[in-house]
């Protein structure tokens, strides 16, 4: 379950969300408007929630094994960085007319 959930989250949905943001934004003038952003946000949010559930199953398994491995350390680092990215995206995103947003 841990591998399937995280495979779907980090291996399928996260890259699809990034592809949506990168390539559909270019078609903004073709009546898409902010649709690409809503699709990107939905895909990334679903992937994050599934990733949290997959991470929780990994924690559950590790508590019963009492074994620390590099895989677990990588997982903890990944979920911490993903959570930080979500917080930055939600609370520190610059406005559309900000001078540092050139695209």
């Amino acid at each position: 379950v841990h591998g399937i959930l995280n495979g779907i989250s980090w291996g399928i949905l996260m890259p699809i969300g990034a592809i949506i943001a990168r390539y559909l934004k270019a078609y903004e003038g073709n009546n898409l408007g902010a649709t690409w952003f809503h699709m990107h946000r939905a895909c990334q949010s679903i992937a994050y929630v599934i990733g949290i559930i997959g991470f929780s199953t990994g924690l559950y398994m590790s508590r019963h094994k009492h074994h620390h491995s590099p895989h677990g350390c990588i997982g903890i680092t990944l979920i911490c960085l993903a959570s930080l990215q979500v917080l930055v995206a939600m609370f520190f995103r610059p406005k559309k007319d900000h001078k540092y947003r050139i695209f």
Side-chain angles (χ1 to χ4, degrees), residues 6-90:
N6 284 320
I8 291 169
S9 173
W10 303 108
I12 297 172
L13 291 175
M14 284 286 186
I16 288 174
I19 288 169
I20 288 170
R22 180 174 175 93
Y23 295 109
L24 288 185
K25 185 177 182 177
Y27 296 108
E28 193 170 347
N30 294 342
N31 295 329
L32 276 180
T35 304
W36 70 268
F37 181 72
H38 297 301
M39 290 170 53
H40 161 72
R41 186 171 53 181
C43 196
Q44 298 294 87
S45 298
I46 292 168
Y48 181 71
V49 169
I50 293 172
I52 293 291
I53 295 168
F55 176 72
S56 300
T57 59
L59 283 178
Y60 176 79
M61 289 188 315
S62 71
R63 294 202 189 264
H64 287 64
K65 286 184 185 179
H66 300 289
H67 182 265
H68 297 284
S69 68
H71 179 83
C73 293
I74 291 169
I76 291 169
T77 304
L78 179 67
I79 206 71
C80 288
L81 290 173
S83 298
L84 180 65
Q85 194 274 332
V86 168
L87 292 173
V88 168
M90 287 176 62

